[in-house]
């Protein structure tokens, strides 16, 4: 895929124009080691290349009206975490900008991720901009270290 992965909407096209006008920024965002996205009304309006690679969905998949973030990207074990966050947001309560959960890839495999989210105004409407880091390897190493420490201590 060349360039940012954008849905064909007026807001997305405006973002594309802004990003292309700032070539170094577009290069930075699209080649980031972390997934970057913008959500508006619970729909993706932007994802970078790493986000697509991380989860295995095509941009057509992610931007489809039928795409359900909760059903397709959130592992069953993490749905209560995401639902609780959404309830707090809907109630106007502050939520932590960084959180972790188990995500699901298109092929059904699971990965642990950490999300850092900011709430922004995009094209005159509220939106969420997120950075997703795959922390699976770090978590695996932490569990290994804890297990080895237990062996040594007991």
């Amino acid at each position: 895929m060349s360039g940012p992965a954008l849905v064909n909407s007026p807001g997305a096209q405006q973002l594309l124009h802004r990003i292309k006008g700032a070539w170094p920024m577009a290069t930075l965002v699209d080649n980031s080691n972390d997934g970057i996205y913008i959500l508006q009304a619970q729909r993706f309006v932007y994802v970078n290349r790493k986000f697509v690679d991380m989860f295995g969905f095509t941009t057509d998949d992610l931007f489809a009206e039928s795409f359900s973030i909760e059903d397709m990207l959130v592992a069953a074990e993490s749905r209560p975490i995401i639902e609780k966050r959404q309830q707090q947001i809907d109630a106007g309560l502050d939520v932590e900008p960084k959180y972790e959960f188990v995500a699901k890839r298109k092929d059904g495999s699971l990965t642990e991720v950490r999300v850092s989210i900011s709430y922004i105004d995009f094209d005159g409407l509220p939106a969420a901009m997120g950075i997703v880091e795959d922390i699976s390897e770090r978590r695996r190493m932490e569990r290994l270290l804890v297990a080895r420490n237990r062996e040594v201590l007991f």
Side-chain angles (χ1 to χ4, degrees), residues 10-42:
Q13 292 304 314
Q14 184 180 23
L15 178 62
L16 179 60
H17 179 72
R18 286 184 215 155
I19 289 174
K20 282 184 175 178
W23 179 83
M25 183 60 71
T27 301
L28 175 72
V29 170
D30 205 41
N31 291 292
S32 172
N33 288 323
D34 294 324
I36 299 173
Y37 66 87
I38 297 177
L39 281 176
Q40 202 166 50
Q42 298 300 314

Side-chain angles (χ1 to χ4, degrees), residues 1 16-17 32 115 129 132 134:
M1 172 186 350
L16 179 60
H17 179 72
S32 172
V115 177
M129 178 181 67
V132 183
D134 185 336

Side-chain angles (χ1 to χ4, degrees), residues 64-128:
E65 286 187 40
S66 61
F67 190 84
S68 168
I69 294 169
E70 186 174 321
D71 293 338
M72 303 191 78
L73 280 179
V74 180
E77 64 203 68
S78 289
R79 287 191 184 135
I81 296 166
I82 303 304
E83 289 169 0
K84 182 178 179 183
R85 283 185 61 84
Q86 190 59 52
Q87 289 170 354
Q88 291 172 323
I89 292 166
D90 292 345
L93 301 173
D94 289 334
V95 293
E96 285 294 317
K98 295 180 181 178
Y99 61 101
E100 297 175 4
F101 70 98
V102 179
K104 183 171 61 171
R105 296 185 182 103
K106 185 175 184 174
D107 67 6
S109 63
L110 303 179
T111 186
E112 295 174 84
V113 297
R114 181 173 192 197
V115 177
S116 177
I117 195 162
S118 299
Y119 297 96
I120 62 172
D121 180 273
F122 178 71
D123 201 26
L125 297 170

Side-chain angles (χ1 to χ4, degrees), residues 142-154:
E142 288 171 359
R143 287 188 290 272
L144 183 61
L145 183 60
V146 166
R148 287 192 177 161
N149 284 342
R150 284 186 185 151
E151 290 173 7
V152 170
L153 294 174
F154 300 106

